[in-house]
Amino acid sequence: KESGSEILFVMILSALVIYMVLASQFESLIHPFTILLTVPLAFFGALGALYVLNLVDGLAIMLSYMPNSPIHLPRIPSMGINLFSQIGMILLMGLVTKNAILLVDFANQRVAQGMDPKDAIIEAGRVRLRPILMTAIATIAGILPIAIGFGAGAESRRPLGVAAEGGMITSTFLTLFVVPVVYVLLSRRKKKHEGGIVIAGPQPFAQPALKITKMPSRWRNPSCLLMAGAFLFSGCSAGPTYYPPSVKA
């Protein structure tokens, strides 16, 4: 129970750090939400892969009590929510966001050149599809030996690889459909919000235009990175149950 609560805190802290780093890089508070949508998609695949293999393990246990059964399935133990599968899901938070970053960054460049957000994200999907598939296949192939399990202690490491494999596979394909839709919706909402409200009719007195001073872009990145560092190192502080080690002469 204690390790589960700590893992939940680490996941929330990781999401905050990822959001602040992306906000500093994109200089936007909206597009990082679009990129972070890949994390729930990855968790869906990770939990689904663990659930399916857990069912296979239960079926293998049932068949082991039937010696005359023509079907034989190998045991796949430890396929559940344990420490190693939770570490795999934390690993996914850093792996799956790169697909959405490739799409959103390319689309932002085209929008800055005057293209419509819908046309920009369609072109981003067409141009960035090959890099997304290449990096995803390379990552899946690299984690595959951990998911299959080789060597001593393979059974304990296998849930980590299965969670990472399932999350990468589902996130890679679902990102190509979910992220463009959310990007277009948020871009249109942002454009409508920036357009403001125009009041029709004659104005009795001319009001001077208000000049809104924005924070220079050179100050945004350092401030967001400082906030990310503060959240990152906040988990390293000593808690109320900490006791300094005693040194004997």
Side-chain angles (χ1 to χ4, degrees):
K1 183 178 180 181
E2 182 179 356
S3 63
S5 60
E6 291 178 356
I7 287 293
L8 181 61
F9 171 75
V10 171
M11 287 183 178
I12 296 174
L13 184 62
S14 302
L16 288 175
V17 172
I18 292 173
Y19 175 80
M20 287 185 291
V21 171
L22 292 175
S24 65
Q25 295 297 320
F26 285 98
E27 297 184 1
S28 172
L29 299 177
I30 297 178
H31 294 307
F33 281 113
T34 307
I35 296 173
L36 284 176
L37 280 177
T38 58
V39 176
L41 302 178
F43 285 174
F44 174 76
L47 296 176
L50 292 172
Y51 178 75
V52 170
L53 291 182
N54 191 22
L55 290 179
V56 173
D57 182 56
L59 183 60
I61 294 175
M62 293 177 58
L63 293 176
S64 64
Y65 292 101
M66 303 169 60
N68 297 325
S69 176
I71 302 175
H72 175 72
L73 293 177
R75 288 287 312 276
I76 311 176
S78 303
M79 288 299 147
I81 305 299
N82 50 39
L83 181 62
F84 288 95
S85 61
Q86 290 171 351
I87 293 174
M89 285 188 280
I90 294 176
L91 178 66
L92 280 175
M93 297 181 69
L95 291 176
V96 300
T97 52
K98 54 92 181 173
N99 295 335
I101 291 174
L102 291 173
L103 291 174
V104 173
D105 180 64
F106 188 90
N108 285 342
Q109 294 177 9
R110 291 295 183 265
V111 170
Q113 297 175 359
M115 186 178 292
D116 184 73
K118 181 179 178 180
D119 298 332
I121 198 66
I122 291 175
E123 184 178 355
R126 183 174 62 253
V127 174
R128 297 295 192 183
L129 178 61
R130 184 177 179 183
I132 288 174
L133 293 180
M134 289 174 63
T135 53
I137 292 173
T139 305
I140 292 171
I143 304 176
L144 190 59
I146 303 176
I148 296 175
F150 295 106
E155 292 184 357
S156 61
R157 297 191 304 267
R158 193 175 293 159
L160 188 153
V162 170
E165 289 282 347
M168 281 296 301
I169 292 173
T170 56
S171 177
T172 300
F173 290 102
L174 293 180
T175 296
L176 300 175
F177 299 97
V178 176
V179 170
V181 174
V182 177
Y183 178 84
V184 173
L185 293 177
L186 292 180
S187 297
R188 290 178 177 176
R189 185 177 182 87
K190 179 181 178 182
K191 186 176 181 181
K192 182 179 179 181
H193 179 72
E194 291 178 351
I197 302 175
V198 179
I199 302 176
Q203 301 295 329
F205 301 100
Q207 297 292 336
L210 297 178
K211 183 178 181 181
I212 301 175
T213 304
K214 295 184 178 181
M215 181 184 293
S217 59
R218 64 177 180 273
W219 294 106
R220 293 178 185 174
N221 294 352
S223 61
C224 292
L225 291 177
L226 286 176
M227 292 176 62
F231 274 99
L232 178 63
F233 291 105
S234 63
C236 301
S237 59
T241 58
Y242 173 77
Y243 296 97
S246 59
V247 180
K248 295 182 179 181

Short mmCIF file of all heavy atoms in Angstrom, two decimals, residues 210-216:
data_model
loop_
_atom_site.label_atom_id
_atom_site.label_comp_id
_atom_site.label_asym_id
_atom_site.label_seq_id
_atom_site.Cartn_x
_atom_site.Cartn_y
_atom_site.Cartn_z
N LEU A 210 -5.84 50.03 -24.89
CA LEU A 210 -5.01 49.53 -23.81
C LEU A 210 -3.92 48.64 -24.38
O LEU A 210 -4.19 47.74 -25.17
CB LEU A 210 -5.86 48.74 -22.81
CG LEU A 210 -6.94 49.54 -22.08
CD1 LEU A 210 -7.73 48.61 -21.16
CD2 LEU A 210 -6.33 50.68 -21.28
N LYS A 211 -2.74 48.89 -23.97
CA LYS A 211 -1.60 48.11 -24.43
C LYS A 211 -1.26 47.07 -23.36
O LYS A 211 -0.95 47.43 -22.22
CB LYS A 211 -0.40 49.02 -24.69
CG LYS A 211 0.81 48.26 -25.26
CD LYS A 211 1.95 49.20 -25.54
CE LYS A 211 3.13 48.44 -26.12
NZ LYS A 211 4.27 49.33 -26.39
N ILE A 212 -1.39 45.81 -23.72
CA ILE A 212 -1.12 44.72 -22.79
C ILE A 212 0.31 44.27 -23.01
O ILE A 212 0.69 43.87 -24.11
CB ILE A 212 -2.10 43.56 -23.00
CG1 ILE A 212 -3.54 44.06 -22.80
CG2 ILE A 212 -1.79 42.41 -22.06
CD1 ILE A 212 -4.58 43.00 -23.10
N THR A 213 1.06 44.34 -21.95
CA THR A 213 2.46 43.95 -22.02
C THR A 213 2.58 42.49 -21.63
O THR A 213 2.17 42.09 -20.53
CB THR A 213 3.32 44.81 -21.07
OG1 THR A 213 3.11 46.18 -21.41
CG2 THR A 213 4.78 44.45 -21.20
N LYS A 214 3.10 41.69 -22.52
CA LYS A 214 3.28 40.27 -22.26
C LYS A 214 4.70 40.01 -21.78
O LYS A 214 5.61 40.81 -22.01
CB LYS A 214 3.00 39.45 -23.53
CG LYS A 214 1.56 39.52 -23.99
CD LYS A 214 1.36 38.60 -25.17
CE LYS A 214 -0.10 38.62 -25.63
NZ LYS A 214 -0.31 37.72 -26.79
N MET A 215 4.82 38.90 -21.10
CA MET A 215 6.15 38.52 -20.64
C MET A 215 7.02 38.17 -21.84
O MET A 215 6.59 37.42 -22.71
CB MET A 215 6.05 37.30 -19.71
CG MET A 215 7.41 36.86 -19.15
SD MET A 215 7.26 35.37 -18.15
CE MET A 215 6.32 36.02 -16.79
N PRO A 216 8.22 38.73 -21.92
CA PRO A 216 9.08 38.38 -23.06
C PRO A 216 9.35 36.89 -23.10
O PRO A 216 9.42 36.22 -22.06
CB PRO A 216 10.37 39.18 -22.77
CG PRO A 216 9.96 40.26 -21.83
CD PRO A 216 8.84 39.71 -21.02
#
